[in-house]
Amino acid sequence: MAKGDQPAVKITYSHLLRALRDGQVKEMTLYPREDLVQAQLKDGRTARVAVFNDDPQIPRMAEAAGVPFSVRYDPDEGAMAAALTNALLGVLLIGLLVLLLRRSASVAQKALGFGRSQARLQPEGSLAVRFDDVAGIDEAKVELQEVVAFLKEPERFTSIGARIPRGVLLVGPPGTGKTLLARAIAGEAGVPFFSISASEFVEMFVGVGASRVRDLFRQAKAKAPCIVFIDEIDAVGRQRGAGIGGGNDEREQTLNQLLTEMDGFEDNSGVILLAATNRADVLDTALLRPGRFDRQIMVELPDRRGREAILGVHARTRPLGEDVSLALWARRTPGFSGADLANLVNEAAILTARRQRSAIDEQSMNEALERVTMGLAARPLQDSAKKRLIAYHEVGHALLTTLLPAADALDKVTLLPRANGVGGFARTTPDEEILDSGLISRAYLDARLVVAMGGRAAELVVFGPAEVTQGASSDLEMVTRTAREMVTRHGFSELGPMALERDGGEVFLGRDWMRPEPDYSARTATIIDRAVQRMARSALDRAVAMLEPRRVLLDQLVEQLIEHETLSGETFRALVEADEQRRALAPA
């Protein structure tokens, strides 16, 4: 724009046509790429007007008015735009080709590695777990000390012709520390440690599991001496021939390959296979024979000393208050596994952190025990008829537990509900000697039946037969199950010393479509049902007979429980003993 020219102004399309008719336009220039007309007006202004694409009206009117009309088209600009468009398309095409090539390479790599073992390798010396970190299973640790010696000094055994065991099977309930024990063996021996779950062998594609087994042992031989740990081996080692059509399935082919690798024509010297399971009863017999799993080590639930040692291991990294006694908590947690105890201490630590305290105290431990055994706490019950009914129900259980010498010791009775729907509970501590020995007397089982009927008996004594509730439904289920076992398995009835039923095992598809028929006749089944009914009725009658003369004590205990909401076992026993002494001194 020359000096002194006015800037371009925008006018409408109709204004431009009117200016052409009135002769006010000096010259016009069309820019077809921009669909724009620039008009030089006679008053010196420059106007810019947007027009339609290929609009024929503007050129005709300019020609009719004698106005010079020119078209400006910049070829360089068009070429540049076309080149830029082509370049973008080319880059996009190349990017798509690279993406497809990478995707194809990834698929090919996965296809080639599909039959490779998925085991995780812990290099030599990388495991920090030692036998000192495993507590409560001293017998199993002693058995496994020789495995460590085999790995550290194999020549000491091979020089006299001893053969290193090929496999060691760890059998025990869940949470007893089988996996931790395997890691401790590798940590003590200082050898590479391969770990894999048995379920990772089995795939829906034929031959993949067997290929992975071969690859696992190939890797293990290259790293020998080493340990191969297969967790939950029952996922692949179940009995063969249990499937439909002869059992020729992928799982069985994987098991066959595992059997061959463990005791085939090749020598696996220096490779020790550790496996863990809690279902040794379903494993194939060929897998358990000597030469494959030479040793089977039972990893049982810890006893009282073992639980105290486990609590001590978990308390190393957690501050405990002076009021927390590990020996006392070991006595209060019979039947707990190592995982249960770890969860107990962890829950107590969480509660301590929530309260912003510096050490785990007895209150946190008590609340953690209730959380892991009974569930999360719910809102306390309001004073109402429901709360009083629950109080009578729970006091009935607790009172019979205290009065019967053969029953378990009462730990506490509470009305604080839990989130799982439990309105209250009377918790007992099982007898340690019974759990350790596994020998249960008939007197103990009879006492369990009477205690279980305590809630229903209290409702009958206080409210009468017409006002009993369904609150004892779970108690009745337990009574029925226990009484039936006493009759059919333990020989504690008039039927005599006969085992009429067996443990219910796993049902294999193709072998047992339905539950097997009982080994006794229909007449014997009727006799069994009547014996179970007599036991249940006898337990209820005995419970009512013990509670009726103690109706005053029952009311007093309920009032105490409603007032305090929780009574410890010591407090409850003191109240009962005081009443029993008063009754003994009262004149007949």
Side-chain angles (χ1 to χ4, degrees), residues 247-402:
N248 187 20
D249 58 4
E250 171 63 9
R251 182 188 59 79
E252 293 193 4
Q253 301 307 318
T254 305
L255 174 59
N256 292 335
Q257 186 63 45
L258 180 62
L259 296 176
T260 302
E261 292 290 343
M262 292 186 66
D263 188 23
F265 295 101
E266 297 185 10
D267 185 15
N268 290 336
S269 178
V271 178
I272 294 182
L273 178 63
L274 288 178
T277 182
N278 52 19
R279 292 299 310 274
D281 56 315
V282 303
L283 294 180
D284 194 89
T285 54
L287 190 64
L288 299 177
R289 73 163 178 81
R292 292 193 174 109
F293 281 111
D294 300 278
R295 294 186 178 183
Q296 295 185 31
I297 299 177
M298 299 299 299
V299 186
E300 299 287 355
L301 292 172
D303 57 8
R304 180 176 57 82
R305 293 182 179 179
R307 291 194 298 272
E308 184 176 356
I310 293 174
L311 289 172
V313 170
H314 294 297
R316 293 176 184 173
T317 57
R318 298 176 176 89
L320 293 181
E322 297 180 355
D323 58 339
V324 178
S325 171
L326 297 182
L328 174 62
W329 278 99
R331 288 195 296 270
R332 292 187 62 184
T333 53
F336 274 45
S337 66
D340 294 330
L341 294 173
N343 188 33
L344 173 65
V345 178
N346 185 63
E347 288 291 342
I350 292 175
L351 292 172
T352 302
R354 182 182 301 172
R355 294 168 180 162
Q356 298 182 354
R357 297 179 181 176
S358 58
I360 301 175
D361 56 8
E362 189 73 11
Q363 180 184 0
S364 299
M365 292 291 291
N366 281 318
E367 293 185 8
L369 179 62
E370 293 185 1
R371 174 173 291 191
V372 300
T373 56
M374 302 301 298
L376 297 175
R379 180 182 302 177
L381 295 172
Q382 301 297 324
D383 292 336
S384 61
K386 177 182 177 181
K387 185 174 183 179
R388 183 167 294 273
L389 175 62
I390 295 176
Y392 275 107
H393 186 99
E394 300 304 333
V395 168
H397 288 303
L399 183 55
L400 292 176
T401 301
T402 307

Side-chain angles (χ1 to χ4, degrees), residues 392-463:
Y392 275 107
H393 186 99
E394 300 304 333
V395 168
H397 288 303
L399 183 55
L400 292 176
T401 301
T402 307
L403 294 174
L404 291 172
D408 294 326
L410 179 66
D411 184 51
K412 70 182 295 185
V413 56
T414 180
L415 286 179
L416 297 178
R418 316 307 293 182
N420 56 5
V422 176
F425 58 90
R427 189 175 65 213
T428 59
T429 302
D431 192 343
E432 187 79 17
E433 294 182 359
I434 294 178
L435 290 179
D436 290 343
S437 63
L439 300 177
I440 302 177
S441 65
R442 180 171 182 175
Y444 178 79
L445 293 177
D446 287 336
R448 287 193 64 184
L449 296 180
V450 176
V451 171
M453 286 295 190
R456 172 59 63 88
E459 293 181 14
L460 287 172
V461 170
V462 176
F463 304 105

Side-chain angles (χ1 to χ4, degrees), residues 94-107:
I94 293 174
L96 290 175
L97 290 175
V98 171
L99 181 61
L100 291 175
L101 290 175
R102 288 184 177 181
R103 180 73 60 85
S104 301
S106 177
V107 171

Side-chain angles (χ1 to χ4, degrees), residues 383 387-388 390-392 394-395 398 413-416 551-568 570-576 578-579:
D383 292 336
K387 185 174 183 179
R388 183 167 294 273
I390 295 176
Y392 275 107
E394 300 304 333
V395 168
V413 56
T414 180
L415 286 179
L416 297 178
R551 170 62 190 275
V552 176
L553 174 62
L554 191 64
D555 294 336
Q556 293 175 354
L557 292 173
V558 166
E559 294 299 332
Q560 289 285 333
L561 183 59
I562 292 177
E563 179 181 356
H564 300 286
E565 291 190 333
T566 299
L567 295 176
S568 65
E570 293 81 3
T571 302
F572 195 92
R573 281 189 291 271
L575 295 174
V576 175
D579 184 80

